[in-house]
Amino acid sequence: MLIFSISAFIAVALIVANGLERHQIEKYNQYYNDSLPKPTLFPLYYGNIDTEEYGTMLVILNLLCAVTIIFISTSAQCLYLTCIIFATSMLKALQIRFAKMLDEDGNILETIKNLINEHQKVIMFVQELNDTVKYLMMMDYLLNAVNIAGVVIILLEASDGIEVASTLFYAGRLITIVFALGWTSNEIQIQSQALADAICETPWWEQRRDTQKLLHMMIVRAQCPLAITIGPFDEMTIRSSLTIMKAAYSYGTIMSQKYR
């Protein structure tokens, strides 16, 4: 909801800024009897269409583009975050079930085998998710640093209040996404390792030898944390989010010096 709200505010601010600019140019054309073209919200190619004659249609087209961009961008980010949160929730549920497995009626050994199968499904889900998005994560990691640095440069040169507000919220959106990715990815590692603690807190020593062996295997496996990686490189954590911010600061410093 936070990402969607920030994205919606950015779109509204851009639309208002574009409307004010079009109004100012219209007043200028009337006063000086000029025919300066009115800017559109997005630099779309309109072919041989007369932008003055079909101005209303082009404004509606730009509004539709803005709504579509908000929906696609926010859905793409939230879909990935939801997949990570789903895996984290499954790991938390396994911790609770392991802690209460001795309170359940029936065969304890069969219950543990079912929990092990569910744990393996979570492991496979995280591994497949990581294999699918790790290179996209690497591109996102690099582009976010450049985008944040570029937004800072634009913010330093902005003069209009609406432009400053939209730029600030765009920077806030980028930073929110960066730390949301880092936090949710970090939670997978924490919760996957916490599963071993949940098993150790049960009176496993009171069980039969075959049951103890299964629990020992689960403890060893849970001590190898699940992780989302940045391409073939490091794991995505809060530390990685801070590294992005440091890189953005370095890029912004270099870009501002070159711009001057």
Side-chain angles (χ1 to χ4, degrees), residues 13-14 16-17 20-21 154-155 157-170:
L14 289 174
V16 171
L20 292 175
E21 188 176 1
I154 295 173
L155 187 61
E157 298 298 321
S159 57
D160 185 74
I162 296 179
E163 184 180 0
V164 171
S166 61
T167 307
L168 279 175
F169 271 83
Y170 183 66

Side-chain angles (χ1 to χ4, degrees), residues 223-234:
Q223 288 176 345
C224 181
L226 302 174
I228 302 296
T229 59
I230 305 171
F233 304 111
D234 198 9

